[in-house]
Amino acid sequence: DPRCDSFGAFTMIAPREFSYGGVIDAMESGDMYASMGPTINEISVEGNNLHVECSEVAHIFAYFGSKDPAFLHSTGEPLTYANLKIDPDARYVRIAILDEHGRWANTRGYFREEIGFSPALS
């Protein structure tokens, strides 16, 4: 709508409790991501494996401390999840997804201490 100044973008916040304080705590701790439409439903790490679940997208990108991502591209069917190996030298993990309409969703960088990733597990 031309009267909307956000151009369809929004910030998804994941508070532990739905209250003013809970929302502020979630924002201060970075429990949120930015999107133009696609949604990220789950991000988890087990050992050196990264698991991402999302709405239907054409591409899932994982950045492991560099500008060159590990990624999955759709081959006709939409993607709704990815399982990727975390680079043993990763300084951080950041997820970006892109739908077929060119709309992005991006997380912040999660440093290895936050996600429990250890290169000894690789």
Side-chain angles (χ1 to χ4, degrees):
D1 186 298
R3 296 169 290 173
C4 179
D5 67 353
S6 69
F7 301 100
F10 58 91
T11 301
M12 184 67 79
I13 303 169
R16 297 196 198 298
E17 67 175 56
F18 192 68
S19 66
Y20 178 82
V23 170
I24 296 301
D25 288 345
M27 292 174 66
E28 287 177 343
S29 64
D31 293 337
M32 60 187 176
Y33 66 91
S35 182
M36 298 167 67
T39 56
I40 299 170
N41 303 323
E42 179 183 334
I43 299 171
S44 59
V45 174
E46 187 173 324
N48 65 342
N49 298 303
L50 172 69
H51 178 74
V52 178
E53 292 185 19
C54 58
S55 59
E56 292 185 349
V57 296
H59 310 284
I60 299 174
F61 302 88
Y63 296 86
F64 300 123
S66 73
K67 293 181 182 180
D68 296 322
F71 54 86
L72 292 178
H73 293 291
S74 170
T75 56
E77 293 295 317
L79 299 171
T80 58
Y81 72 93
N83 292 302
L84 299 163
K85 295 281 186 203
I86 299 174
D87 183 323
D89 297 324
R91 296 179 316 221
Y92 62 85
V93 172
R94 185 176 69 80
I95 305 300
I97 58 177
L98 177 65
D99 73 11
E100 66 180 12
H101 304 291
R103 299 176 302 188
W104 288 90
N106 294 279
T107 69
R108 66 178 177 88
Y110 294 92
F111 291 96
R112 58 188 323 121
E113 302 80 28
E114 293 177 87
I115 60 174
F117 172 68
S118 168
L121 298 172
S122 58

